[in-house]
Amino acid sequence: MSSEPVAVRLARRGNVLVPLGAVIAALFLGALMILALGANPFEGYWELIKGAFGGTDNLANTATRAMPLLLVGTGITISFRAKVINIGGEGQIIAGALLSTVTALTVPGLPPIVLIPLVLLMGCVGGAIWGGIPGALKAYLGVNEILSTIMLNIVAIQLMNYLLRDPLIDPLEIERGTRIPQTERLSENADLPILIPGTRLHLGVVVALMAAVAAWVFLWRTTLGYRVRAVGASAPAARYAGISVKRMTTLALTLSGAMCGLAGAVLVFGSESHRLLTDGSSSGFTGVAGFNGIVAALFGGLHPLWTIPSSFLFGGLLVGANAMQRAIQVPAALIVAINGLVVVFVVSSTSIRTKLTRLVTLFDQAAAERASPGELQSADREEVTP
Amino acid sequence: MKRFRWLALLLVFALVGAACGDSDDGDGADSSGDGEGLRAAVVTPSAENDLAFSQSIVDALHALESEGLLSEVAVTEGTFIVEDAAVALRAYADEGYDLVIAHGSQYGSSLQEIAPDFPDTAFAWGTAADTFGLSNVSAYTAASDQGGYVMGVMAAGLAGDGSIGVVGPIEVGDAKLFVDGFIAGASSAGGSATAVYIDSFSDTTLAAETATSFVANGATVLTGTAQMTVGAIGVADGAGVPWFGTQSNQTKVAPDVVVASQVYKWEVVLRDLVSSINGGTLGGSTYEITLANEGLVIEYNDAYDLSADVKSAGDDAANSIADGSVSTGQ
Amino acid sequence: MNDWLTATFAVVTIASAVRLATPYLLASMGEAVGQRSGVLNLGVDGVMLLGGFMAYWTVLETKNLLLGVVAGIVTGAVLGLIYATVTIVFHAEQGISGIGLYLFGLGMSELLFQEQVGTPLPIKSFSTVRIPLLADIPKIGEVLFDHSLMAYAAILLVPVLTVVLNKTTLGLNIRAVGENPEAVDSLGVSVARTRLITIVFGNAMAGLAGAALVIELGIFQNNVTNGMGFIAVALVYFGAWRPAGVLAGSLLYGLVTAIVTQWKTAGLVTGAAASFTSMAPAVLTVIALVVIARRNAPQPSALTHPFVRGH
């Protein structure tokens, strides 16, 4: 293979090179915007890379930030594989966080070995409920899931705001009259243990990795997972094969919600403050993971294992962007706009990636033909030649 | 050879970028090298020019910078994600800033975990009243009920037979304090004020609809707090209904209808804070801006023709609160 | 205030509902046309924000409301061209590129607002237009015939779009492209051109919706839409891709929001109950869809599928 032309060798690396090129193109446009704001883009981007991947602390921050993206992304993968679009990640994260928080408030005295798995499980349950509702509504009553998940996001935010400003509020906040909408510091027994002392890297990262692997095993190594994918591939065919499309649709959204709910629990018990708090919207708590997780999943080609590096890179972009804002003092809004550009460019590059893959296949076929002439039918060649 | 032209253009951009950046760099290094003062950093939840909560602290820090008390002010704005704020606070402390401010009550519980890791850094957070018993954390808060009360008194004077509408975000924290003070002031002067919390800090449209609804139901004076109230100010402006502002001077937004604004002057507490840090005390105190210490100032809109009676009723209320003879009920 | 069942209450509530519904209706109709041709656009909120900002900025500088509306439409159309390039030329995944478009619009509108305007300065709004004679009909006159120009325009677009979609060649092509692009392509109709038209139209409508919102508010603020664009996308499903259905959905959402707001200002709901009524528009929209439209029309078969000839 070493005798291959450079172009072909590059094309073989297309899976990595093309998205990377797209990111660079988007960052170039971003650089022009930074220039227009009177700051130095090189310095800015250097700070971004340093802030995301430079040193243990920053890598730990990136991993911590990537964790909810990976969990949500894994959930998104499951639902998209069943051809169900889950835009309800934000609401499901909140539902999981609320139920796990209530659990920790109810039984704070349990030993960590019991309490930590329990709150994580309750996070899954909360998210599963919030995902199961639109799943069942779609399967049994024909309510489109995009509509119901968007609406349930709104309901979850209002529910959280109400619970945190009244029933679940830290009693100290009422006593002092400051009334900050947050719970008391939750039981230390539920704290997710820190993996590397001195950093923010906590057990949640391992939980997320395990969840991604579990989702892969579920989708590709179990009968149930096969059924879910069969429904996504072709509902009529699945029905013909005796698979209950309704049950699989509900299951896919329920599992998807469970993953998001788990992210909610991990966000609460792995947070710096170890409590649930709200800024009135969902994003102050979720970090918009419900949407960013969709992006991470699709960058990862809707594959749970590929979502791992994709979440890590996207988390790095988010962490690094904040570092860049600190270092060169550009408005936060610029970072949001550049993130948008990166998403648009990378997603646009996938078709180029596909074309390259096809070219490589062509080249290989040609090589195979050279090796054993006459074996390929001429009709085949016509088909693959554009 | 078209492609080369593009390359050339790219190169030019790159060089211009490098050049611009270098000159910026130079300036930055100069300003931080010059002063003797402290280096301060602040993390705010919304934009630094939001004409409300975030702008109030950034303006104050820049005021102290121009007084020479601070040698450098670094701002991370728009950090509504609490975990991102925590990362930024740690980073500033790591980078050796002398004073790191968490300007958002939602950041406090994170600060509680961060501050012990940086015993030589002074932290402050607001609006809050709790220093968690840590010797390097100060808390600052605004007695926004006081200005609210004063403006409530004036609103009752302006309302005539009409009612007074108050547009609130979510019934929490600083917003609740202001709203409660305002209502207490209005009713002390015989007015009837109703508060509606729209359950959102960001829904400008709903704030506007609520204000419209108030006007339709006979409100003749309006007020509101938090960043989404610009929607309500727009309605007040359109309907010609007097408006009372808070957190920063809102006259610019609607010069025809803004009567007065309660303005936060954090300089007052920051000056004390800086001098105690210079004296070697990194924290442990709680600061409050009030009418008495002139951290809260009622700024009037000169263009608004406010009757002398109403204004003097407001002044009386302000004096009585400042000398302690009247309580806002908080 | 005990007059919440009176005619005044109805007039005020309906006026409020129509005001609230107008941006939803405009954005939602645009999205519906796009989806009819098989293109999902989740970036509506971002387009509304950037369109709204450009409209606001234009009005602030020129004092001309009509120019502002044009600026909103043009901004939307330009973003539409970008989105069309991304989805038609590059066959990009629509859900994700829509989120990219949303983030870009959100960030750019905020950045431009901070750099170019800074302080939210008020602009004038469209005054309501009383339709002569009709508006003087007692009771229902004011309810039906005293709204802003944008509201009338939005409602008038409902029958126009219905006719275009159902009775014209263009409409037939749009629907066919959304159902079976391969067949349409084999008949010599350009799938790409048809989708280009619907995408640019849909985004221009989103830009117009942003302009309508901002001009009605008379002010701009960071993230002024607060997620309205996402609700507009949801309402397309409520309306089963029909302009009249979208109208019903927008009015329902607007009406419930308006009623809740009226109740709150009249002091009829307070405390915890007030918090729960804030959820009412979202909950009722879902319930209404369950009750009324149980036999929901199936979505366009080619929705979210990029068209690549020969695949």
Side-chain angles (χ1 to χ4, degrees):
Chain A
M1 283 292 162
S2 57
S3 61
E4 268 178 18
V6 180
V8 176
R9 260 186 286 160
L10 281 179
R12 282 190 197 284
R13 301 270 170 279
N15 271 338
V16 178
L17 287 180
V18 171
L20 208 65
V23 171
I24 290 170
L27 292 183
F28 175 71
L29 278 184
L32 296 183
M33 284 155 66
I34 296 175
L35 266 183
L37 290 166
N40 181 343
F42 293 106
E43 193 191 344
Y45 286 142
W46 177 238
E47 294 291 343
L48 188 153
I49 294 166
K50 252 192 344 188
F53 307 113
T56 323
D57 272 2
N58 294 334
L59 279 170
N61 283 338
T62 294
T64 314
R65 192 73 156 81
M67 173 271 309
L69 302 182
L70 176 55
L71 281 170
V72 173
T74 303
I76 297 296
T77 301
I78 298 174
S79 65
F80 273 45
R81 287 285 168 185
K83 276 262 162 48
V84 188
I85 301 175
N86 180 10
I87 318 190
E90 292 285 284
Q92 291 147 15
I93 293 174
I94 292 172
L98 280 172
L99 196 59
S100 59
T101 300
V102 171
T103 307
L105 286 170
T106 315
V107 286
L110 293 178
I113 193 80
V114 181
L115 190 55
I116 292 175
L118 180 66
V119 292
L120 293 179
L121 180 70
M122 292 319 272
C124 288
V125 172
I129 294 171
W130 222 248
I133 296 171
L137 283 176
K138 179 187 173 68
Y140 298 98
L141 296 171
V143 175
N144 182 283
E145 73 277 16
I146 292 189
L147 177 128
S148 54
T149 48
I150 287 176
M151 295 300 170
L152 278 172
N153 283 346
I154 298 171
V155 175
I157 293 167
Q158 293 293 351
L159 187 65
M160 171 172 71
N161 286 345
Y162 166 69
L163 291 174
L164 286 184
R165 76 169 172 74
D166 209 3
L168 295 183
I169 196 171
D170 183 354
L172 266 179
E173 292 298 332
I174 295 185
E175 199 178 292
R176 283 198 215 105
T178 34
R179 284 189 172 268
I180 300 168
Q182 60 187 23
T183 63
E184 63 191 54
R185 203 239 184 252
L186 297 167
S187 168
E188 287 188 13
N189 291 354
D191 286 4
L192 296 179
I194 299 282
L195 299 178
I196 305 174
T199 70
R200 296 285 317 131
L201 195 76
H202 56 71
L203 188 70
V205 178
V206 179
V207 172
L209 289 173
M210 278 164 40
V213 174
W216 175 76
V217 171
F218 170 75
L219 281 173
W220 276 279
R221 291 289 181 274
T222 68
T223 321
L224 206 55
Y226 167 76
R227 287 187 186 149
V228 167
R229 284 188 297 125
V231 168
S234 167
R239 202 173 290 124
Y240 185 75
I243 298 170
S244 165
V245 174
K246 289 180 176 176
R247 220 176 292 161
M248 289 308 121
T249 304
T250 314
L251 177 73
L253 258 174
T254 306
L255 287 177
S256 187
M259 289 292 158
C260 297
L262 180 58
V266 172
L267 277 169
V268 172
F269 297 98
S271 71
E272 191 88 67
S273 62
H274 297 287
R275 61 182 95 201
L276 181 58
L277 48 78
T278 175
D279 70 337
S281 69
S282 62
S283 37
F285 163 66
T286 64
V288 210
F291 285 101
N292 288 336
I294 301 179
V295 177
L298 288 161
F299 279 179
L302 289 176
H303 191 291
L305 299 182
W306 280 109
T307 307
I308 297 171
S310 124
S311 310
F312 190 74
L313 282 175
F314 205 64
L317 185 68
L318 296 175
V319 169
N322 288 332
M324 170 168 117
Q325 193 210 342
R326 267 197 312 281
I328 64 170
Q329 296 278 297
V330 287
L334 173 75
I335 310 296
V336 180
I338 294 181
N339 273 347
L341 285 175
V342 170
V343 172
V344 169
F345 273 69
V346 173
V347 74
S348 300
S349 74
T350 43
S351 72
I352 300 173
R353 199 163 67 178
T354 317
K355 278 201 188 101
L356 275 181
T357 316
R358 215 177 303 149
L359 279 177
V360 171
T361 318
L362 258 182
F363 180 86
D364 287 349
Q365 276 176 351
E369 196 183 3
R370 259 191 319 249
S372 51
E375 214 163 272
L376 274 177
Q377 305 276 316
S378 58
D380 283 348
R381 236 179 305 162
E382 260 167 43
E383 198 191 347
V384 288
T385 312
Chain B
M1 292 295 110
K2 260 186 185 164
R3 211 178 302 158
F4 282 71
R5 241 181 283 161
W6 280 107
L7 268 178
L9 192 68
L10 217 156
L11 203 67
V12 170
F13 270 125
L15 288 175
V16 169
C20 287
D22 272 344
S23 64
D24 277 359
D25 249 7
D27 292 349
D30 282 347
S31 65
S32 62
D34 275 350
E36 297 280 300
L38 300 172
R39 294 169 69 224
V42 64
V43 179
T44 70
S46 48
E48 59 181 302
N49 53 0
D50 68 349
L51 260 195
F53 188 66
S54 296
Q55 183 165 0
S56 66
I57 193 81
V58 175
D59 284 355
L61 285 168
H62 285 305
L64 258 69
E65 190 182 22
S66 59
E67 286 172 26
L69 287 171
L70 297 174
S71 63
E72 185 195 339
V73 175
V75 181
T76 295
E77 45 136 36
T79 316
F80 55 87
I81 300 171
V82 176
E83 285 295 291
D84 282 358
V87 170
L89 291 169
R90 270 190 191 279
Y92 278 133
D94 249 346
E95 287 160 22
Y97 281 86
D98 304 297
L99 170 62
V100 178
I101 301 175
H103 190 62
S105 50
Q106 68 268 42
Y107 300 157
S109 46
S110 305
L111 188 64
Q112 189 173 0
E113 309 288 321
I114 296 169
D117 295 347
F118 300 93
D120 300 327
T121 306
F123 292 92
W125 76 293
T127 56
D130 186 10
T131 62
F132 319 116
L134 294 170
S135 62
N136 62 336
V137 174
S138 310
Y140 56 88
T141 181
S144 55
D145 51 316
Q146 297 189 349
Y149 189 95
V150 172
M151 295 196 292
V153 168
M154 291 194 281
L158 288 176
D161 294 335
S163 60
I164 302 162
V166 185
V167 182
I170 298 179
E171 198 173 352
V172 294
D174 184 63
K176 181 172 166 55
L177 204 59
F178 170 78
V179 170
D180 288 351
F182 189 95
I183 291 176
S187 48
S188 80
S192 99
T194 317
V196 166
Y197 289 97
I198 65 166
D199 289 325
S200 167
F201 280 98
S202 49
D203 199 332
T204 314
T205 313
L206 200 53
E209 276 312 312
T210 305
T212 309
S213 173
F214 269 131
V215 173
N217 281 308
T220 50
V221 181
L222 291 173
T223 188
T225 177
Q227 56 271 30
M228 82 300 161
T229 49
V230 292
I233 303 177
V235 170
D237 192 47
V241 172
W243 173 269
F244 287 93
T246 184
Q247 292 186 335
S248 74
N249 192 330
Q250 291 169 346
T251 301
K252 264 198 287 184
V253 182
D256 297 334
V257 296
V258 172
V259 182
S261 308
Q262 166 174 245
V263 182
Y264 291 6
K265 302 274 185 194
W266 296 114
E267 296 91 307
V268 175
V269 302
L270 285 177
R271 247 178 239 124
D272 287 355
L273 186 60
V274 167
S275 73
S276 76
I277 295 170
N278 283 329
T281 311
L282 295 183
S285 308
T286 300
Y287 301 88
E288 186 177 41
I289 51 172
T290 62
L291 289 171
N293 68 15
E294 292 179 2
L296 291 177
V297 178
I298 308 287
E299 290 184 356
Y300 292 90
N301 174 9
D302 295 334
Y304 187 89
D305 189 19
L306 182 62
S307 82
D309 289 357
V310 174
K311 187 165 189 295
S312 72
D315 287 343
D316 288 348
N319 291 331
S320 313
I321 292 170
D323 68 24
S325 57
V326 158
S327 153
T328 61
Q330 295 305 304
Chain C
M1 301 285 163
N2 287 322
D3 57 355
W4 61 282
L5 277 177
T6 62
T8 335
F9 180 84
V11 170
V12 172
T13 310
I14 302 277
S16 170
V18 171
R19 259 196 313 275
L20 287 163
T22 304
Y24 289 128
L25 178 56
L26 289 168
S28 212
M29 280 193 294
E31 175 75 11
V33 171
Q35 291 201 8
R36 269 292 177 89
S37 75
V39 182
L40 167 73
N41 177 11
L42 283 179
V44 176
D45 204 48
V47 179
M48 283 179 74
L49 279 166
L50 202 51
F53 172 74
M54 293 310 281
Y56 167 77
W57 194 19
T58 308
V59 175
L60 202 60
E61 298 293 329
T62 65
K63 311 283 176 228
N64 187 326
L65 288 177
L66 229 51
L67 271 182
V69 170
V70 171
I73 294 175
V74 170
T75 308
V78 170
L79 287 172
L81 279 176
I82 297 172
Y83 192 65
T85 312
V86 169
T87 51
I88 298 174
V89 179
F90 292 108
H91 310 299
E93 163 70 41
Q94 292 166 4
I96 187 174
S97 40
I99 291 177
L101 188 65
Y102 161 65
L103 290 174
F104 179 73
L106 175 70
M108 274 313 278
S109 62
E110 197 170 326
L111 189 64
L112 286 169
F113 178 60
Q114 279 188 40
E115 296 298 316
Q116 303 297 334
V117 185
T119 304
L121 301 168
I123 56 172
K124 59 176 177 171
S125 303
F126 281 115
S127 44
T128 60
V129 179
R130 275 179 77 90
I131 296 180
L133 298 179
L134 289 176
D136 297 327
I137 303 170
K139 291 202 163 67
I140 62 160
E142 268 184 278
V143 173
L144 295 180
F145 303 106
D146 189 12
H147 299 292
S148 93
L149 204 58
M150 296 306 291
Y152 293 124
I155 291 169
L156 272 179
L157 264 172
V158 174
V160 172
L161 273 184
T162 308
V163 169
V164 169
L165 278 174
N166 294 319
K167 306 279 181 211
T168 65
T169 318
L170 177 65
L172 178 69
N173 286 345
I174 290 173
R175 286 182 293 135
V177 162
E179 291 296 342
N180 195 342
E182 287 79 13
V184 177
D185 183 61
S186 68
L187 291 174
V189 175
S190 166
V191 174
R193 195 184 309 141
T194 310
R195 286 189 172 172
L196 176 71
I197 293 170
T198 59
I199 293 173
V200 171
F201 173 77
N203 283 277
M205 288 289 279
L208 174 63
L213 171 73
V214 167
I215 290 175
E216 179 62 49
L217 281 174
I219 213 147
F220 188 86
Q221 172 72 308
N222 291 332
N223 192 17
V224 67
T225 56
N226 196 38
M228 283 178 122
F230 288 97
I231 294 172
V233 174
L235 291 175
V236 172
Y237 297 94
F238 184 94
W241 299 273
R242 292 189 316 267
V246 165
L247 172 68
S250 309
L251 282 177
L252 172 71
Y253 201 88
L255 186 65
V256 177
T257 313
I259 290 174
V260 168
T261 307
Q262 294 294 324
W263 281 356
K264 280 183 169 181
T265 53
L268 290 168
V269 284
T270 49
S275 291
F276 284 103
T277 51
S278 297
M279 305 173 192
V283 174
L284 284 178
T285 307
V286 175
I287 293 177
L289 191 54
V290 172
V291 174
I292 306 164
R294 183 171 296 199
R295 293 281 159 262
N296 208 355
Q299 67 177 31
S301 334
L303 188 58
T304 75
H305 295 308
F307 174 70
V308 186
R309 190 171 291 157
H311 280 252

